[in-house]
């Protein structure tokens, strides 16, 4: 099922971990609507700006998969509002900067990123669906596996 011109539901639900553990990682209709919103308002504009195809490394996660991965019970992946990105040839700091300057977002989190290795880790990116009655926070953070810090504080120092 196509969610937008370049992104499909299968692509945003694909998980090798779910497949290995025989977990059905398909969203309910509400999460599918939110994934559609995310595809149209974040992924498509990002693809247009970088000028070539990419596929998120992680998107929707059902509760069983989210628990297995040890992720937070409040993760926006659970409701179809988040993707993790790693685009070959684009450093994550540069990718985060592009999104911060040019696109609406709720949270950007550089996870397990080492500044000396521009493509290390991944970028968590979420977009609040206005149907949930929430505004985007515009939070830009870095997570090192132990704590969250403001992205500007970490990357400037």
């Amino acid at each position: 099922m196509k969610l937008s011109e370049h992104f499909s539901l299968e692509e945003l639900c694909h998980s090798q971990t779910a497949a290995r553990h025989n977990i059905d990682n398909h969203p309910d209709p509400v999460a599918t609507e939110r994934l559609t919103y995310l595809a149209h308002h974040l992924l498509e504009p990002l693809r247009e700006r970088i000028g070539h195809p990419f596929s998120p490394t992680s998107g929707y996660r059902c509760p069983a998969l989210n628990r297995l991965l040890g992720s937070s019970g409040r993760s926006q992946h659970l409701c179809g509002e988040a993707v993790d990105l790693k685009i070959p040839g684009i450093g994550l700091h540069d990718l985060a900067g592009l999104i911060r300057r040019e696109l609406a977002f709720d949270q950007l989190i550089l996870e397990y990123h080492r500044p000396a290795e521009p493509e290390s880790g991944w970028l968590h990116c979420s977009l609040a669906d206005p149907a949930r009655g929430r505004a985007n926070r515009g939070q830009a953070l870095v997570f090192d596996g132990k704590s969250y810090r403001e992205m500007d504080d970490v990357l400037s120092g």
Side-chain angles (χ1 to χ4, degrees), residues 40-119:
H40 279 274
H41 297 280
L42 178 72
L43 297 175
E44 288 291 347
L46 180 58
R47 185 182 193 279
E48 180 180 310
R49 281 163 178 81
I50 65 171
H52 61 80
F54 68 89
S55 184
T57 58
S58 179
Y60 173 76
R61 295 182 196 148
C62 69
L65 176 60
N66 199 61
R67 278 191 303 276
L68 183 64
L69 294 172
S71 189
S72 166
R74 296 185 327 262
S75 172
Q76 287 176 280
H77 287 279
L78 287 163
C79 64
E81 290 185 346
V83 293
D84 292 339
L85 301 170
K86 187 173 182 116
I87 301 173
I90 301 176
L92 292 178
H93 180 257
D94 293 336
L95 183 60
L98 171 71
I99 293 170
R100 288 177 80 182
R101 283 188 312 275
E102 299 188 25
L103 300 173
F105 65 92
D106 184 49
Q107 282 189 318
L108 291 179
I109 307 172
L110 277 170
E111 299 193 48
Y112 300 94
H113 177 67
R114 294 175 302 280
E117 300 172 40
E119 293 186 40

Side-chain angles (χ1 to χ4, degrees), residues 10-54:
E10 285 303 314
E11 176 180 26
L12 296 181
C13 297
H14 174 75
S15 167
Q16 291 179 358
T17 302
R20 279 194 308 272
H21 292 274
N22 201 29
I23 295 172
D24 179 4
N25 193 48
H26 287 88
D28 62 25
V30 173
T32 300
E33 287 177 24
R34 292 179 182 148
L35 286 167
T36 301
Y37 183 83
L38 182 74
H40 279 274
H41 297 280
L42 178 72
L43 297 175
E44 288 291 347
L46 180 58
R47 185 182 193 279
E48 180 180 310
R49 281 163 178 81
I50 65 171
H52 61 80
F54 68 89

